[in-house]
Amino acid sequence: MISFLISIAALILGYFLYATFLEKVFGIDRNRTTPAYHLKDGVDFIPLPTWKIFMIQFLNIAGLGPIFGAIAGAMFGPSAFLWIVLGSIFAGAAHDYFSGMLSVRHNGLSISEISGIYLGSWSKHLMRFFTIILLLFVGTVFMMGPAKIIDGMSSHILNFWIWVFIILCYYFFSTLLPIDKLISKLYPIFGIAMFVMTIGLILVLLTGEYHVPEIKWGNLHNMTSYPEQTPMFPILFVTIACGAISGFHATQSPLMARCIKSERNGKFVFSGAMITEGVVALVWAAVSMAYFGDVRGLNIAMETHGHNTAWAANEISLNMLGGIGGVLALIGIVAAPITSGDTAFRSCRLILADIFKLDQKKVSKRLYISIPLFITAFVLTQIEFDILWRYFAWSNQTLAVVVLWTITAYLIREQKLAWVTYVPAVFMTMVSATYILIAPEGFELPNIYAYIGGAFLTLLVILLFQNYVNNKQGNILKAINIWK
């Protein structure tokens, strides 16, 4: 339990210390007019209260990741705590803050267009394809996931596909309507449910007879039932994505970059939402280990129920919180993915609008983009959920890689401390490259060959980036000098 409490304290300190440091590295301009004002259109560019923007950003990026991902990640043991804390502070907070603030500085542009500015046209085209595919995966996964949970909660009163249709209808309207008409009014309610759930679980852990494994050398090994089939590196670092670092976040930040009133609010909105999500992931990882007795008990329970994280989340919520608390927790579990799914489609609409330079003031222009998106998403619902989730997990972290290299290129050009994103960019490149080589949905190579191949691909990316920077912006070795 001590390790769990120290981990929460570390995340909070990470916000006040490291996030403040990142803000200084970026160099905010308190007097600069934000896109919410000089591009105000009454649809997407609308000044909103900072607390609402934070709530929307938090719920946008949370989804099922810090719950389902944390439960699955907890099967590895207390090592999950370390990744959540270190990943959230040194990778996620930097990724989210800079991607959000770059969008603010570039008139609310989507991350694909920003990548094109700093990494060249090839990156822009790659990112356009990648982000659209990722967002379609997210929207589809977060239609089916909540539908499954609601179907189970309601004892199958309605057909599963009826729930999918209801959620799809909500997504359609939330994608089309101005952001202050539906999203900004519903999200505070959903946010309260999420916070009640998290605080309730913390209190139960502290007051109940639960044992949370400590972070100590003897516990920092792979505790899954079949470690040779699920090597900690890279599987853990892809499994726990939204609770540490997630490329999906960079697709959501432009929504809030179009609503933020001042650059000084960026730290609270972007880094703050990431750190808050890290706390949620940490809590779910801890309760997963504690509720089932220990890490071994969690692994056995998950194997018995076909690795169904939705079942585990329901079981934990109803039995640890009981009654009203359990219902509120389940509302939070349902709300989290829905509030990511709706903005996934909205982000997709905005990216396509940026690509084709379509003004979004008229509903007809929004319909031109939205209708094909929802038709495609419905077709994707016919694919098995687990397959969609696995491809989402890898594409999510690969997107984070490109975003980190984009930010690094920006920092180099501005002669700022590029090491704050260069180091996590290298690490996450190795994670994504190794994962696609080792995973069943990838090339499924033997572990040793996957590690060698991952190292080779990472070195290749570093050299290509070095060459690009040398040709375009100067020597990267000077830019990442910590003493600069």
Side-chain angles (χ1 to χ4, degrees):
M1 189 71 74
I2 294 175
S3 298
F4 169 65
L5 296 175
I6 291 175
S7 296
I8 291 181
L11 284 171
I12 296 171
L13 282 175
Y15 171 74
F16 286 105
L17 298 179
Y18 195 67
T20 301
F21 169 69
L22 295 175
E23 183 181 54
K24 291 180 179 178
V25 170
F26 181 77
I28 62 171
D29 183 350
R30 295 173 181 268
N31 299 317
R32 190 185 185 103
T33 304
T34 61
Y37 290 107
H38 69 258
L39 293 175
K40 187 175 180 180
D41 64 0
V43 179
D44 299 307
F45 292 88
I46 301 176
L48 292 176
T50 303
W51 72 270
K52 276 195 175 184
I53 298 175
F54 167 82
M55 196 72 78
I56 295 171
Q57 176 71 4
F58 167 63
L59 289 170
N60 283 354
I61 66 177
L64 290 170
I67 300 175
F68 286 15
I71 292 172
M75 295 170 68
F76 287 87
S79 299
F81 293 156
L82 287 179
W83 172 231
I84 291 170
V85 172
L86 297 177
S88 294
I89 296 173
F90 297 107
H95 171 280
D96 288 16
Y97 178 73
F98 284 113
S99 62
M101 292 307 295
L102 280 176
S103 184
V104 172
R105 285 282 175 92
H106 291 84
N107 293 326
L109 272 181
S110 303
I111 192 61
S112 56
E113 310 308 297
I114 293 172
S115 291
I117 293 171
Y118 295 104
L119 290 181
S121 59
W122 68 270
S123 174
K124 177 171 65 177
H125 296 311
L126 174 66
M127 285 289 280
R128 283 173 172 176
F129 172 79
F130 226 90
T131 52
I132 290 170
I133 294 298
L134 174 66
L135 289 169
L136 283 171
F137 278 166
V138 171
T140 304
V141 165
F142 291 169
M143 266 195 292
M144 298 174 69
K148 284 185 176 182
I149 297 172
I150 297 172
D151 188 41
M153 288 169 57
S154 60
S155 301
H156 314 290
I157 292 176
L158 298 178
N159 183 276
F160 165 74
W161 289 104
I162 293 177
W163 290 117
V164 171
F165 178 74
I166 291 171
I167 294 171
L168 181 63
C169 289
Y170 164 73
Y171 284 176
F172 184 76
F173 287 109
S174 63
T175 300
L176 289 179
L177 291 174
I179 197 166
D180 64 335
K181 299 302 181 188
L182 186 60
I183 289 177
S184 71
K185 288 180 169 58
L186 285 178
Y187 276 42
I189 299 171
F190 292 149
I192 290 170
M194 281 284 287
F195 290 136
V196 167
M197 171 190 69
T198 304
I199 293 170
L201 289 172
I202 292 174
L203 291 176
V204 171
L205 273 181
L206 295 177
T207 58
E209 296 182 1
Y210 293 102
H211 171 71
V212 179
E214 302 292 346
I215 299 174
K216 55 185 180 182
W217 185 253
N219 286 339
L220 295 181
H221 63 275
N222 190 336
M223 292 185 167
T224 58
S225 299
Y226 306 99
E228 66 283 351
Q229 296 177 18
T230 55
M232 187 178 295
F233 186 92
I235 305 297
L236 173 64
F237 303 94
V238 173
T239 301
I240 300 179
C242 292
I245 178 173
S246 166
F248 173 66
H249 296 185
T251 69
Q252 301 302 289
S253 294
L255 271 67
M256 297 302 94
R258 301 178 187 212
C259 300
I260 201 167
K261 292 181 177 180
S262 170
E263 288 192 356
R264 71 175 181 271
N265 299 328
K267 172 190 165 186
F268 177 60
V269 171
F270 300 121
S271 293
M274 177 65 247
I275 295 298
T276 303
E277 187 183 23
V279 172
V280 173
L282 194 68
V283 170
W284 275 97
V287 298
S288 300
M289 298 179 202
Y291 176 77
F292 294 102
D294 53 22
V295 179
R296 183 172 179 274
L298 170 62
N299 275 276
I300 292 172
M302 290 295 285
E303 288 172 31
T304 303
H305 291 85
H307 293 273
N308 187 342
T309 47
W311 166 83
N314 287 341
E315 183 79 4
I316 291 168
S317 299
L318 292 175
N319 288 285
M320 288 189 73
L321 297 176
I324 296 175
V327 171
L328 282 174
L330 290 175
I331 290 173
I333 292 171
V334 172
I338 289 178
T339 54
S340 290
D342 59 3
T343 50
F345 286 115
R346 191 180 187 92
S347 298
C348 206
R349 171 175 68 78
L350 294 176
I351 290 171
L352 289 169
D354 285 345
I355 292 173
F356 296 109
K357 295 181 171 46
L358 290 174
D359 182 33
Q360 295 293 282
K361 288 183 181 180
K362 294 183 178 180
V363 176
S364 58
K365 296 287 183 68
R366 286 173 252 159
L367 283 170
Y368 292 156
I369 299 174
S370 300
I371 290 175
L373 284 179
F374 285 105
I375 292 173
T376 304
F378 183 76
V379 171
L380 288 175
T381 61
Q382 307 308 302
I383 301 175
E384 186 180 343
F385 178 83
D386 290 341
I387 295 174
L388 277 175
W389 182 263
R390 290 199 299 268
Y391 279 108
F392 157 69
W394 173 75
S395 59
N396 182 42
Q397 296 304 66
T398 303
L399 178 62
V401 168
V402 181
V403 174
L404 286 169
W405 285 117
T406 298
I407 299 167
T408 304
Y410 158 77
L411 292 173
I412 290 171
R413 195 183 81 169
E414 297 297 315
Q415 297 185 332
K416 299 178 185 292
L417 293 177
W419 64 267
V420 295
T421 51
Y422 179 78
V423 173
V426 171
F427 179 76
M428 291 308 299
T429 300
M430 183 67 180
V431 168
S432 293
T434 306
Y435 183 86
I436 198 61
L437 294 176
I438 208 170
E441 60 271 21
F443 294 93
E444 208 168 358
L445 296 178
N447 291 5
I448 185 64
Y449 295 121
Y451 291 140
I452 293 173
F456 173 77
L457 290 173
T458 301
L459 179 60
L460 179 62
V461 170
I462 292 172
L463 293 175
L464 289 172
F465 182 76
Q466 171 77 51
N467 182 65
Y468 174 78
V469 168
N470 286 343
N471 290 337
K472 300 290 184 180
Q473 299 169 333
N475 195 327
I476 190 175
L477 296 178
K478 293 180 181 178
I480 63 173
N481 185 347
I482 191 172
W483 304 110
K484 182 176 175 59

